[in-house]
Amino acid sequence: MNNVMAYAAFDPKKPLGPFTISRREPGINDVQIDIKYCGVCHSDVHQARDEWGGSIFPMVPGHEIVGVVSKTGHAVKKYKVGDKVGVGCLVDSCRTCSSCKEGLEQYCENGSVPTYNGLEKDGKTPTFGGYSTHIIVHEDFVLKIPENLPLDAAAPLLCAGITTYSPLKHWKAGPGKKIGVIGLGGLGHMAVKIGHALGAEITVFSHSERKREDAKRFGARNFVVTKNQNEMEALTNTLDLIINTVSVELDWNLYLRLLKRDSSMVILGVPSKAPEVSAFGLIAGRKSLAGSLIGGIAETQEMLDFCGRNNIVCDIERVAIQDINTAYERMVKGDVRYRFVIDIESLK
Ligand code: NAP
Ligand code: ZN
Ligand code: ZN
């Protein structure tokens, strides 16, 4: 399997365009996947524009990949040709450190291998993501997509789904818990759907009035427009957990005030510059400011199965690969309901 058609970023300031990549032949433990759809995560924009520094170009983004198995290495046990599968943000890890042994490959102490904008374990082969027609991945990093979920709307579960499911489970979202979700974008709308399905009461914090009805439709009990100071103050000391998905700088101190004693705000969004946090805001009330990175492979499968049982998928807008640059512009403006998903057929 050489020459695979793809779309790439060549430079942080230039639009993405067509590119041909070379992928390895499947090894004995590898699965070859014909990609059908790939979600567009805000992290794709951050990395294609080198907003976090250290980006590797040319870059083929995309880590919300779904497709169908088209070939397997002879030692592959879990998958066969024709299976509906997915690949998320990771394609390998060391498998020996304590995090890997606990199924937390995303925190691999020797550095996990990201699906794109990284290097394979050989330290020199760049990884290329899902804005492409095929991908070859070790079976341990391939996920099974539940049969009842439509492939296109399931694609964003591979990042937006697991990134919100993991902290909701870790911080014990469930009945009787009041949870705030800041930002109703790709991650945020999944946090609402999953948090609601776990039985928690969800309050959405949004920077405009526009998404109120959608938030309710996804299962939120309350909706607060963040510039409305009275509504914000009325929630002081009421929340058990806040999931912050916003990709731009916010005043985190305003939200720490809304937490009950001993509660946490978990940062998922990655603004280029972190805001200043008042020590008193944490000390008074023994509060925690935490972060969380995607999720491990076992937990990603658990999330997919949970979404299958509860019929949870993303609200998506399907786009052709030729429209990716417009999709990026719209995403940066917050103009997406609620995830762009690339139809990979348009690449062929
Ligand atoms: P997204 O779809 O663009 O959503 C971000 C949301 O931020 C917007 O929908 C918007 O919601 C809100 N927002 C607040 N103020 C805004 C402003 N001034 N301009 C634009 N939007 C504003 O992005 P996403 O894909 O959910 O990703 C969110 C962040 O999480 C990104 O930084 C991404 O890199 C990061 N991420 C982290 C992980 C992880 O493992 N921790 C994984 C994936 C992504 P409202 O309109 O409701 O305010
Ligand atoms: Zn992502
Ligand atoms: Zn490891």
Side-chain angles (χ1 to χ4, degrees):
M1 158 91 6
N2 270 310
N3 294 356
V4 168
M5 278 179 286
Y7 245 60
F10 301 97
D11 174 301
K13 296 208 159 49
K14 294 205 178 109
L16 278 71
F19 184 54
T20 303
I21 53 174
S22 157
R23 296 215 189 261
R24 65 176 184 266
E25 278 299 324
I28 57 169
N29 299 110
D30 284 340
V31 173
Q32 177 180 303
I33 301 163
D34 282 8
I35 303 178
K36 300 290 180 199
Y37 300 100
C38 184
V40 179
C41 178
H42 206 115
S43 304
D44 298 353
V45 182
H46 288 308
Q47 293 176 89
R49 297 183 174 178
D50 201 15
E51 288 168 359
W52 299 338
S55 284
I56 305 169
F57 295 99
M59 177 194 304
V60 176
H63 57 209
E64 294 183 335
I65 301 169
V66 290
V68 175
V69 175
S70 54
K71 205 174 188 183
T72 56
H74 67 258
V76 169
K77 293 193 184 70
K78 288 184 264 179
Y79 300 100
K80 58 179 191 318
V81 170
D83 284 353
K84 292 203 272 180
V85 294
V87 178
C89 303
L90 302 175
V91 288
D92 212 347
S93 71
C94 85
R95 297 143 196 258
T96 56
C97 73
S98 60
S99 294
C100 283
K101 282 191 175 148
E102 284 179 55
L104 297 167
E105 298 87 355
Q106 74 276 34
Y107 303 119
C108 176
E109 287 136 45
N110 298 307
S112 51
V113 179
T115 304
Y116 71 86
N117 193 25
L119 299 175
E120 297 279 5
K121 279 201 296 196
D122 64 9
K124 56 177 194 239
T125 311
T127 55
F128 293 120
Y131 298 6
S132 61
T133 56
H134 298 83
I135 192 166
I136 287 116
V137 179
H138 190 290
E139 69 166 330
D140 290 351
F141 285 78
V142 175
L143 287 310
K144 186 154 183 45
I145 307 293
E147 280 302 322
N148 60 315
L149 299 184
L151 270 188
D152 52 357
L157 296 177
L158 275 307
C159 176
I162 183 59
T163 301
T164 49
Y165 181 85
S166 186
L168 286 167
K169 291 291 280 195
H170 185 79
W171 276 274
K172 303 194 170 27
K177 293 285 178 74
K178 292 185 194 302
I179 298 181
V181 173
I182 316 178
L184 197 67
L187 265 56
H189 94 294
M190 291 319 298
V192 175
K193 290 188 183 195
I194 293 171
H196 175 64
L198 288 168
E201 183 187 305
I202 311 287
T203 297
V204 167
F205 296 89
S206 194
H207 79 293
S208 77
E209 185 61 47
R210 288 176 297 173
K211 300 173 181 171
R212 183 182 290 274
E213 289 316 309
D214 288 342
K216 296 272 163 81
R217 178 164 60 82
F218 300 148
R221 174 84 63 90
N222 312 304
F223 183 91
V224 175
V225 180
T226 48
K227 55 181 178 254
N228 187 333
Q229 274 182 10
N230 292 341
E231 277 185 50
M232 291 286 282
E233 264 164 41
L235 291 172
T236 302
N237 292 329
T238 61
L239 299 174
D240 296 287
L241 174 68
I242 297 176
I243 303 281
N244 182 348
T245 74
V246 173
S247 51
V248 297
E249 235 184 293
L250 281 188
D251 184 355
W252 291 351
N253 302 295
L254 295 177
Y255 296 91
L256 286 168
R257 277 186 219 154
L258 310 187
L259 290 171
K260 287 182 189 164
R261 172 175 48 78
D262 288 322
S263 299
S264 307
M265 174 156 79
V266 182
I267 305 301
L268 300 180
V270 194
S272 330
K273 201 166 139 257
E276 237 173 68
V277 174
S278 143
F280 277 121
L282 295 169
I283 291 168
R286 201 160 54 184
K287 295 175 183 176
S288 304
L289 180 61
S292 182
L293 178 67
I294 49 174
I297 297 300
E299 194 175 42
T300 304
Q301 191 61 62
E302 177 188 308
M303 174 277 307
L304 286 165
D305 297 342
F306 174 85
C307 290
R309 283 196 304 281
N310 291 282
N311 263 310
I312 295 176
V313 284
C314 308
D315 277 44
I316 63 160
E317 190 176 328
R318 251 157 83 161
V319 290
I321 192 74
Q322 293 75 13
D323 295 328
I324 190 66
N325 295 300
T326 316
Y328 276 18
E329 288 306 324
R330 284 184 52 196
M331 179 173 235
V332 169
K333 284 194 224 133
D335 174 24
V336 43
R337 304 285 172 99
Y338 278 82
R339 199 57 138 190
F340 290 115
V341 170
I342 303 163
D343 184 349
I344 295 298
E345 199 59 41
S346 61
L347 240 180
K348 293 179 183 161

